[in-house]
């Protein structure tokens, strides 16, 4: 069973629909016991970094997230959900992220002719091997919607990158049982479904 964390932060239904399409037993919940018992956990998200962290604290979800991560449960952050896994964001100064991994979220810099937010299809390159991308050729296209991007402290955790203007975006990360996608796999056609299917094949570590 895969638990999708419900903290009023958008795009939950589309993630749930994609998992159900893949035949996965899926629960959208903020019930701590259900999240703790799940085989895999997904933290989706659309919206502002600070608002999202406030809701995670309000619903008492920060501690349960840390617990399932520490127990080795495969954990996937999508879009804002991935950004929240890191330490801080330009979007919300003074707000601490979950700090599950080292890195910061930066604003995509303005450039002549560059539209922000970055919306639409963009191709991926793979600086490091990633289990989410098994069977997916390099330069495959996925769907992005964001104005801020990850700069991970450890380049070794970055499994996919995309270029937007002169900015190199850390588009996906993997470290142990932690995974993140800046793009939306649930909106990325067959490539995205394969990414989600690869995540669903993972099991608890340890």
């Amino acid at each position: 069973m895969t638990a999708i964390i419900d903290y009023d932060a958008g795009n939950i239904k589309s993630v749930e629909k994609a998992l159900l399409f893949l035949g996965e037993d899926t629960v959208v919940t903020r019930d701590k016991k259900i999240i703790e018992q799940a085989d895999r956990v997904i933290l989706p998200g659309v919206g502002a970094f600070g608002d999202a962290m406030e809701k995670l604290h309000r619903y008492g979800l920060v501690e349960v997230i840390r617990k399932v991560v520490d127990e080795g449960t495969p954990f996937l952050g999508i879009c804002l959900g991935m950004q929240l896994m890191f330490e801080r964001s330009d979007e919300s100064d003074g707000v601490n992220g979950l700090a599950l991994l080292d890195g910061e979220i930066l604003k995509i810099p303005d450039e002549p002719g560059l539209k922000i937010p970055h919306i639409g299809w963009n191709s991926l390159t793979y600086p490091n091997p990633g289990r989410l991308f098994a069977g997916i050729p390099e330069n495959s296209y996925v769907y992005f919607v964001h104005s801020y991007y990850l700069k991970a402290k450890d380049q070794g955790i970055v499994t996919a990158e995309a270029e937007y203007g002169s900015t190199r975006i850390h588009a996906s990360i993997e470290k142990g049982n932690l995974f993140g996608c800046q793009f939306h796999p649930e909106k990325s056609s067959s490539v995205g479904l394969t990414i989600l299917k690869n995540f669903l094949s993972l099991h608890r570590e340890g």
Side-chain angles (χ1 to χ4, degrees):
M1 183 270 285
T2 297
I4 300 172
I5 297 178
D6 178 8
Y7 64 113
D8 300 334
N11 88 306
I12 288 175
K13 283 297 180 185
S14 56
V15 176
E16 179 189 24
K17 185 177 178 181
L19 266 58
L20 292 173
F21 178 81
L22 292 170
E24 175 69 2
D25 180 13
T26 305
V27 178
V28 176
T29 184
R30 63 177 67 120
D31 185 301
K32 299 176 187 64
K33 289 185 178 179
I34 293 175
I35 295 170
E36 288 174 10
Q37 294 167 0
D39 298 301
R40 287 159 296 275
V41 176
I42 295 178
L43 180 68
V46 172
F49 188 96
D51 290 343
M53 282 306 304
E54 190 275 326
K55 288 174 181 174
L56 288 177
H57 283 292
R58 184 197 310 168
Y59 295 131
L61 292 168
V62 172
E63 287 184 6
V64 73
I65 287 172
R66 296 192 191 285
K67 183 174 182 181
V68 297
V69 168
D70 288 345
E71 290 176 348
T73 303
F75 185 92
L76 172 63
I78 295 176
C79 196
L80 176 62
M82 182 185 82
Q83 296 181 359
L84 297 172
M85 294 166 66
F86 289 84
E87 297 167 289
R88 62 163 300 276
S89 173
D90 283 352
E91 187 174 22
S92 304
D93 279 339
V95 176
N96 293 323
L98 294 168
L100 303 175
L101 295 165
D102 295 332
E104 57 184 350
I105 310 304
L106 306 177
K107 191 176 190 310
I108 297 173
D110 290 316
E111 296 180 30
L114 195 69
K115 292 183 178 179
I116 300 174
H118 170 207
I119 300 177
W121 297 86
N122 204 340
S123 60
L124 299 175
T125 55
Y126 303 153
N128 296 294
R131 284 175 282 172
L132 294 184
F133 301 98
I136 300 172
E138 200 165 27
N139 299 311
S140 293
Y141 280 79
V142 293
Y143 191 79
F144 288 85
V145 183
H146 65 123
S147 300
Y148 296 82
Y149 71 101
L150 166 65
K151 185 176 182 180
K153 185 174 181 180
D154 177 9
Q155 179 72 32
I157 72 171
V158 180
T159 53
E161 294 181 332
E163 290 187 0
Y164 192 59
S166 62
T167 302
R168 183 170 292 276
I169 293 163
H170 289 170
S172 189
I173 58 90
E174 174 181 341
K175 184 176 182 181
N177 59 314
L178 291 172
F179 300 83
C181 296
Q182 177 61 69
F183 56 89
H184 289 273
E186 78 282 4
K187 297 179 180 178
S188 297
S189 191
S190 59
V191 170
L193 288 174
T194 301
I195 290 168
L196 290 173
K197 188 175 181 181
N198 287 338
F199 177 72
L200 296 177
S201 72
L202 301 172
H203 300 285
R204 192 185 303 263
E205 297 184 350

